[in-house]
Amino acid sequence: MREAVADLPNVSVRPFHGLVVNTARDAGAAAIVRGLRSGPDFEYESQMFFMNRRLEPDVDMVSLMSDQEHMFISSSLLKEVAQLGGEISGMVPEHVARALAEKYQLPQR
């Protein structure tokens, strides 16, 4: 993740345990940005929004719709395709494709 956002000076990557809304508050963040792919994502994210609003009213949640070409992509599906030797370049950053190839001991393309 750090490599993917290395060129964005106002973005930081922080590991955390517990509630994301507490981590955001402790970091002084005004908002949590989340991505949506489809209807089920919207339902889940709306539940998250209301719970997080209840827990920490000063931290907003912003949801952005994915581009159509990425709507079907999920991390679990990508990992499965990579594990079975499928081509995932173009769907993930190059460093992610390399890491998955190493993890699953696949030949580099």
Side-chain angles (χ1 to χ4, degrees):
M1 195 64 210
R2 284 188 176 93
E3 190 173 340
V5 298
D7 62 329
L8 303 171
N10 61 340
V11 174
S12 64
V13 177
R14 301 173 186 210
F16 69 94
H17 299 299
L19 298 170
V20 68
V21 72
N22 291 344
T23 302
R25 180 200 60 225
D26 294 346
I32 299 168
V33 179
R34 306 270 301 183
L36 300 175
R37 292 173 300 179
S38 62
D41 281 356
F42 178 79
E43 290 177 31
Y44 176 76
E45 292 298 331
S46 65
Q47 291 174 357
M48 282 288 249
F49 168 85
F50 289 113
M51 179 57 74
N52 286 336
R53 174 57 50 102
R54 173 85 184 224
L55 296 171
E56 188 53 57
D58 293 332
V59 176
D60 284 319
M61 285 189 63
V62 177
S63 296
L64 302 174
M65 288 298 300
S66 141
D67 190 280
Q68 273 185 315
E69 71 177 290
H70 302 294
M71 287 182 74
F72 68 94
I73 298 174
S74 70
S75 62
S76 55
L77 184 57
L78 282 169
K79 287 185 274 188
E80 182 178 351
V81 169
Q83 188 173 16
L84 296 172
E87 180 61 50
I88 60 168
S89 65
M91 292 184 274
V92 295
E94 183 56 37
H95 69 276
V96 173
R98 277 194 314 272
L100 287 170
E102 285 177 27
K103 178 177 181 165
Y104 299 121
Q105 301 174 349
L106 302 171
Q108 294 289 327
R109 295 180 187 213

